[in-house]
Amino acid sequence: MKALVLIKQSDPFHSFETRELPKPRPKAGEVLIKVAASGLNFADVMARKGLYKEAPPLPSVLGYDVSGTIEELGEGVTRFQIGDRVTAMTRFGGYAEYAATNASAVALIPSQMDNATATALTTQYCTAYYAAAEMVQLHAGDKVLVQSGAGGVGTALIQYARYKGCEIFATAGSQDKMDYLRSIGVDHPIQYTLQDFEKMVMEITNGEGVDAIFDAVGGSSVKKGFRSLAAGGRIVCYGAADMSDKNLFGKINAALGFGFYHPAMLMTPSKSIIGINMLRIADHKPAMIQKCLESVISLSTEGVFTPLIGKIFKATEIGLAHEYLEKRKSMGKVVVSWE
Ligand SMILES: NC(=O)c1ccc[n+]([C@@H]2O[C@H](COP(=O)([O-])OP(=O)(O)OC[C@H]3O[C@@H](n4cnc5c(N)ncnc54)[C@H](OP(=O)(O)O)[C@@H]3O)[C@@H](O)[C@H]2O)c1
């Protein structure tokens, strides 16, 4: 099979090589998927640049989500049949013509759903669902701030917050992203390159702050976010994109920028900090991944979740796809197609 192999940690155009690799065999409890579309996630950019601790050693095949058809069932798998159209999370290995993954991270997709949309629903929508529904439990009337709102996870968080009847604040980095945020129901879009989000949030909420913040920017964005929380507020930290384009000194600064929090600093103002790493959840609570995936597919069937497809590249254009995501050009999901 063909696979897009990460051969070195370099720029988008010199990091990948298309190689012939043996087709994986599904182990017990796994399925083998013939991949139609491989999803990109921002963590792939971090991994390509050597900034992702959990990434496999080089040469490696990245990729957290795929959609396609089931080609082979591992021992003990009874939930699926050969030929089923599915979307699935992979623990790396998704940038290839075939991927084997645990059946608990696989879901059937409705016949009318295209492969790119299905791919968007796995890692990004499941992360958003786990954060907003399982960890924070948003309620009607909650004031919610979504950082990087025009991205894949950001779009999913906004759609869920809207479904729950929340008042939504969201940040993004350009004017066209402001228009997009308005179009998906954000009440208070904030262009962080021109406006200070902490100041805007405090002004609009008359100094009270918001009930929940979802932040994958990291660094000082978290410290400012923590200050922007109302009593009972929770900030979910699930990424550190801010570290992706910095030199060593910048990274240390960004790491220190998160701030240091003694439990008394959480207890007295009644604020919480929640950390999420979906890989750890997949390792230790596979049933939770299955629950998130099924909930996400069901909400998409109801029309609550409608992923935006940022751009579809050919598999051979993996460099262009990475550049597109890294340079903040994307809104919604970026995929590469094998068809
Ligand atoms: N913890 C987990 O388990 C988990 C799971 C999935 C995703 N994540 C994290 O969630 C975040 C969103 O992932 P995604 O796949 O949906 O990506 P994405 O949001 O579609 O794309 C990344 C966006 O991040 C923003 N950004 C902020 N600082 C940036 C920087 N220094 N360089 C480049 N972009 C920057 C940009 O939007 P603006 O132009 O608006 O700034 C960019 O478009 C990522 O940080 C990812 O690592 C974590």
Side-chain angles (χ1 to χ4, degrees), residues 227-259:
R227 290 198 299 252
S228 312
L229 285 177
R234 292 135 289 169
I235 181 165
V236 179
C237 301
Y238 66 101
D242 191 32
M243 301 227 183
S244 68
D245 53 1
K246 299 222 163 24
N247 59 21
L248 181 63
F249 182 68
K251 283 191 190 85
I252 293 170
N253 248 346
L256 295 173
F258 273 93

Side-chain angles (χ1 to χ4, degrees), residues 40-46 49 52 64-65 122-128 130 147-157 171-174 176-178 181 190 192-193 215-218 236-246 275-281 324-334:
L40 267 70
N41 289 278
F42 195 73
D44 302 351
V45 173
M46 302 287 270
K49 294 172 108 176
Y52 200 61
Y64 287 118
D65 32 50
T122 51
T123 308
Q124 291 173 332
Y125 273 74
C126 281
T127 303
Y130 181 68
Q147 302 281 18
S148 312
V153 182
T155 296
L157 285 165
T171 64
S174 62
D176 55 339
K177 290 185 179 180
M178 292 295 102
L181 291 180
I190 302 170
Y192 69 82
T193 44
D215 186 299
V217 177
V236 179
C237 301
Y238 66 101
D242 191 32
M243 301 227 183
S244 68
D245 53 1
K246 299 222 163 24
I276 288 181
N277 178 347
M278 293 303 277
L279 286 184
R280 292 296 159 89
I281 302 301
Y324 193 71
L325 188 57
E326 182 178 352
K327 298 272 185 217
R328 310 180 187 209
K329 292 182 190 160
S330 63
M331 289 190 258
K333 183 75 174 172
V334 180

Side-chain angles (χ1 to χ4, degrees), residues 146 149-150 153-163 168 170 181 184-186:
V146 179
V153 182
T155 296
L157 285 165
I158 289 166
Q159 289 175 352
Y160 188 78
R162 207 174 115 189
Y163 164 62
I168 309 169
L181 291 180
I184 59 170
V186 171

